[in-house]
Amino acid sequence: MTTQKESFRFSGHDTFHCKEQWILKGLQVLEYQNNKDIFKKNEAIPLLGVGKNMVGSIHYWLRSFGLVDNDSNITEFASLIFLRDRFDPYLENEGSLWLLQYYLCKTNHSSIYNLIFSRYFSDKATLDFSEYQVFNFVNRLMQKKEHKEIASKTFNSDFKVFLRTYVFPSKNEKTVEDDFNAPLLSLNLVADTGRKNSLNQPIFRLNLNAQETISTEIFAFCLLDQFEDLVSISFDKVKKTIGSYLCLSNEGLEMLIDKLCEENKNFVYKDDAGVRQLQFKNTSKETKINILRSYYELQ
């Protein structure tokens, strides 16, 4: 029996970070044209109103955010937020941004997000990082996984796109409006420390904290999506996945779990003899969707 290698991707965006309006526009074109190959055709250029390279980038980001699957089928999540139910098509609710952040890390279609949020800091005593440090970490991982190492030029382009996803550009004459049009900027998950390393590269910091704007409903949806069909999961597993994806501190994650269990009897948290475990009474797809529906109906 052969085991499939874990795959990693550090290109495909053509150096374009995701613009907020691309998401709804891309999904609408895909739905209305009813053609999963539309992003490969020249007719997509006038439909989307962007250049040819940006067409490919829009498709890349739709996959990265879990809005279309690997066969370009529109996902249930995309239908709920943007198309059929239209819970928040213009991304006016911060809960929608947390969901996009969750899926961006979970899908691993754009690997740098999962690697930085979930894996790079697993054994680090500091939350600071630079391009050089992450580049070395990634290539050590590639060697361990028996993959070809990533070229520095390829990684540099990917790292720049990662930064434009989260870090507000400095306001100067060269700054263009599109630089401020990345949907996840307002989550404030990454900050420029203002310091530089010995290579004169900027040093950034992951803003790990309680993330008080994450509602229990959004958290519950992520839990039921990440751990589909499971009836229990360890605290450490939640921490390494959803906790990391959403940049939650240990204290923040514990508080969110406690609050969830108080508000929703479908979730039970056990801490017996040092073994911390979160239990789910109902893991059905209907339960997951109803939790999300209730959240947006209350907004």
Side-chain angles (χ1 to χ4, degrees):
M1 181 179 176
T2 59
T3 56
Q4 189 174 0
K5 273 189 178 183
E6 183 179 5
S7 61
F8 299 92
R9 182 176 289 101
F10 299 93
S11 61
H13 43 60
D14 282 304
T15 74
F16 298 110
H17 66 280
C18 185
K19 315 297 193 298
E20 191 168 300
Q21 68 272 20
W22 282 3
I23 297 176
L24 179 59
K25 188 180 292 186
L27 288 171
Q28 287 175 333
V29 166
L30 187 58
E31 181 183 45
Y32 297 157
Q33 295 299 311
N34 195 27
N35 182 351
K36 292 191 292 184
D37 293 323
I38 186 63
F39 293 102
K40 299 177 183 178
K41 299 181 179 298
N42 287 334
E43 61 196 85
I45 297 173
L47 288 171
L48 291 165
V50 298
K52 186 175 182 180
N53 287 352
M54 285 188 180
V55 170
S57 185
I58 290 173
H59 189 215
Y60 170 91
W61 288 114
L62 291 182
R63 291 182 65 182
S64 297
F65 282 119
L67 300 168
V68 300
D69 63 21
N70 291 338
D71 295 318
S72 294
N73 298 301
I74 294 172
T75 63
E76 180 72 16
F77 167 57
S79 293
L80 288 169
I81 304 298
F82 297 96
L83 298 175
R84 183 189 65 225
D85 296 86
R86 292 178 62 82
F87 287 161
D88 188 20
Y90 301 107
L91 297 176
E92 297 169 309
N93 188 300
E94 194 157 309
S96 307
L97 303 184
W98 285 116
L99 290 173
L100 289 176
Q101 168 65 15
Y102 160 73
Y103 277 109
L104 182 58
C105 293
K106 183 199 175 188
T107 66
N108 199 33
H109 185 72
S110 185
S111 299
I112 194 170
Y113 296 89
N114 181 287
L115 290 173
I116 289 181
F117 282 99
S118 181
R119 298 167 78 160
Y120 177 76
F121 288 100
S122 62
D123 60 350
K124 301 290 189 298
T126 176
L127 294 174
D128 291 356
F129 66 99
S130 67
E131 179 182 342
Y132 175 77
Q133 290 172 309
V134 180
F135 175 66
N136 285 337
F137 165 80
V138 168
N139 271 333
R140 287 196 301 271
L141 181 64
M142 294 302 103
Q143 291 176 350
K144 183 179 179 181
K145 299 287 185 179
E146 299 182 344
H147 285 281
K148 183 180 178 180
E149 290 190 11
I150 307 303
S152 59
K153 185 177 181 181
T154 300
F155 186 81
N156 175 258
S157 295
D158 203 32
F159 192 76
K160 285 179 179 177
V161 170
F162 172 88
L163 293 179
R164 288 199 291 270
T165 304
Y166 298 107
V167 182
F168 280 96
S170 57
K171 296 180 181 180
N172 57 48
E173 293 180 3
K174 295 181 181 179
T175 299
V176 295
E177 187 177 345
D178 270 355
D179 288 336
F180 295 91
N181 197 17
L184 302 185
L185 276 176
S186 63
L187 294 181
N188 192 33
L189 299 184
V190 179
D192 188 339
T193 66
R195 296 181 286 112
K196 294 189 176 183
N197 62 13
S198 58
L199 299 175
N200 203 36
Q201 294 177 336
I203 297 173
F204 301 91
R205 177 176 295 131
L206 207 64
N207 290 331
L208 199 71
N209 58 49
Q211 311 298 3
E212 295 177 356
T213 61
I214 300 175
S215 72
T216 54
E217 293 90 353
I218 294 297
F219 182 56
F221 178 88
C222 293
L223 285 168
L224 295 179
D225 184 81
Q226 177 74 34
F227 306 112
E228 189 177 12
D229 299 328
L230 294 181
V231 295
S232 66
I233 193 71
S234 70
F235 176 89
D236 286 343
K237 190 66 176 177
V238 177
K239 173 187 170 184
K240 290 177 182 177
T241 53
I242 298 171
S244 296
Y245 300 165
L246 303 183
C247 221
L248 283 158
S249 62
N250 283 347
E251 296 79 9
L253 179 58
E254 288 175 346
M255 287 191 295
L256 196 51
I257 289 175
D258 287 342
K259 187 177 180 183
L260 171 64
C261 294
E262 287 177 9
E263 295 179 359
N264 191 323
K265 300 307 178 186
N266 186 49
F267 300 89
V268 178
Y269 185 47
K270 299 285 188 180
D271 187 354
D272 298 325
V275 178
R276 295 181 291 178
Q277 191 176 71
L278 185 60
Q279 300 175 352
F280 315 132
K281 293 183 179 179
N282 189 328
T283 62
S284 69
K285 177 182 175 181
E286 183 181 13
T287 298
K288 182 176 72 171
I289 292 175
N290 284 340
I291 287 173
L292 202 61
R293 190 180 303 280
S294 67
Y295 169 76
Y296 284 102
E297 286 176 351
L298 292 171
Q299 302 306 304

